[in-house]
Amino acid sequence: MKVELYNDILKTIKTYNGPGRKCEKLLREKYPKYQKSVDDGQDVGVMLRLAEEITLSPALLARMILEKYYEKKSEESDEPVTRTFITKLMKDTTLIKDKDLAYEVYLCVVYDDQYGSITDCIKHSLGQEYELRLQRMVKDLNLAFRDEEHLRKHGYDKTPDIKLEIPIAVDGFIVNWIESKALFGDEEGHNIYFRDQYLSYWNRFGPGLVIYWFGFVETLQHQTEKCIIIREDFPINITLMDPKSIEPNLATI
C-alpha cells in the first residue's frame, strides 16, 4: 500500500465524526483493495495484512468487504444482504460461496481477539461464569431468590440476574435485586446499562445492587441517583430482614 493511500485512510477515520455504521460505508467505498490484492496473486491472509496496515479490527474489515462483495452479487444471493445475513456468514464461513473469500474471512474471525463472533462467545461465557458465581454466593447465605430464567417465564421482559424474595441491606441501602457484570464499569457503558436495564429494574422492583467484577471508575459511585449501589465484589457487611417479625427486625451477618 502506498503511503499516500495509507495516510488518506487514517485521515478519513480520524476526522470522521458521524455514526460508526456510516463510517463503515464510507470506508468500504474508499478502499476496494481486497479484490485488487487477490487479482495480483498475493498469498492468503490478505485481509489480515490489510487490517494490520490500517490498524483496523480484522473481523470488522472482513465484515465490510463481505458486505461489499454480496452487494455487488445481490442477484446471486438467496437472501437479502442484511446485517443479519452478513453475521450468519461471519459465524459460518462455509456458507460463503467464494472459497478464497471464505477462508480470508475465517482467518480474520479467528485471529481477531477484540471484535467478532468468537469474542462475543468468550464474553458470553465469561458473563455466565460470573452469574453462576453470584448465584453460589447468594445460595451460601441462604437467601431466597428468583433467577433471570424464572422471571422471564413469568412474563418479565427485562430482568436482573437475581431478584431477592426478601430484601437485604448493604451499608444501610435496601437491595431488592442484584445484577452481575463481568466487565470493567466505565461511564459510557454504565450510562447505557442504567438507561436500558437498571432503571427498568428500579421501576419494577425498587433499588438494587450492581457488581462490576473487574472494577469501575470511582465517579460511578456518585451517579446512582439513589436507585442502585455499585460494588466490585459481593458485599460482606449484609443485613438480613426477619420476615416473621411484625416490625422489620434486622440481624447483621
Side-chain angles (χ1 to χ4, degrees):
M1 177 183 287
K2 292 185 177 180
V3 67
E4 292 82 4
L5 176 59
Y6 172 73
N7 289 332
D8 182 62
I9 293 173
L10 287 182
K11 182 179 178 181
T12 301
I13 296 173
K14 291 179 179 179
T15 58
Y16 188 79
N17 295 319
R21 289 184 180 178
K22 289 188 177 180
C23 185
E24 272 187 42
K25 182 179 179 181
L26 178 63
L27 290 172
R28 287 200 307 268
E29 294 171 351
K30 290 204 72 171
Y31 58 90
K33 199 185 167 199
Y34 164 72
Q35 189 59 50
K36 182 178 184 301
S37 298
V38 172
D39 293 340
D40 291 343
Q42 292 191 21
D43 294 334
V44 294
V46 172
M47 288 188 189
L48 282 174
R49 292 192 292 274
L50 285 176
E52 184 177 358
E53 286 180 15
I54 63 175
T55 61
L56 187 67
S57 157
L60 181 56
L61 176 62
R63 172 180 283 277
M64 292 159 56
I65 291 177
L66 202 56
E67 286 178 353
K68 197 68 175 178
Y69 174 84
Y70 274 92
E71 283 172 2
K72 288 183 178 180
K73 297 182 178 291
S74 58
E75 295 180 357
E76 302 176 14
S77 177
D78 298 330
E79 298 182 42
V81 186
T82 62
R83 187 173 183 83
T84 301
F85 173 66
I86 297 299
T87 298
K88 183 173 71 172
L89 298 181
M90 295 282 289
K91 290 181 177 179
D92 184 0
T93 56
T94 61
L95 299 175
I96 302 173
K97 295 180 180 180
D98 186 310
K99 65 179 181 64
D100 294 324
L101 177 59
Y103 189 58
E104 289 287 340
V105 173
Y106 170 78
L107 288 177
C108 286
V109 172
V110 169
Y111 279 91
D112 197 323
D113 61 354
Q114 300 294 323
Y115 178 89
S117 55
I118 291 181
T119 304
D120 290 341
C121 288
I122 293 173
K123 291 178 180 178
H124 180 69
S125 177
L126 191 62
Q128 287 190 318
E129 178 185 337
Y130 276 86
E131 285 180 25
L132 293 174
R133 178 180 177 179
L134 173 60
Q135 290 183 16
R136 286 196 299 269
M137 291 178 168
V138 173
K139 289 177 181 178
D140 288 344
L141 292 172
N142 294 319
L143 300 178
F145 71 94
R146 301 295 185 183
D147 61 18
E148 187 176 12
E149 183 179 354
H150 176 90
L151 292 171
R152 286 186 175 175
K153 285 181 179 178
H154 285 75
Y156 292 98
D157 55 343
K158 290 187 177 182
T159 60
D161 295 316
I162 295 290
K163 169 61 178 71
L164 296 170
E165 293 287 85
I166 301 172
I168 61 174
V170 177
D171 296 327
F173 187 92
I174 300 299
V175 170
N176 296 279
W177 51 268
I178 308 173
E179 179 75 2
S180 169
K181 293 297 183 188
L183 45 78
F184 180 84
D186 60 11
E187 291 198 19
E188 181 180 1
H190 174 77
N191 289 336
I192 293 173
Y193 284 128
F194 186 87
R195 179 194 66 205
D196 296 342
Q197 295 182 349
Y198 309 154
L199 196 56
S200 296
Y201 305 162
W202 176 73
N203 285 330
R204 291 176 179 174
F205 307 119
L209 163 68
V210 176
I211 303 177
Y212 288 111
W213 295 102
F214 294 96
F216 56 88
V217 291
E218 60 183 2
T219 52
L220 297 189
Q221 292 179 317
H222 308 295
Q223 299 179 16
T224 60
E225 300 183 15
K226 298 182 179 181
C227 300
I228 61 173
I229 56 172
I230 303 170
R231 296 290 185 272
E232 60 184 22
D233 205 340
F234 196 87
I236 299 175
N237 53 332
I238 295 175
T239 303
L240 303 181
M241 179 181 292
D242 183 0
K244 297 180 181 179
S245 62
I246 299 176
E247 295 290 334
N249 179 23
L250 298 179
T252 303
I253 63 169

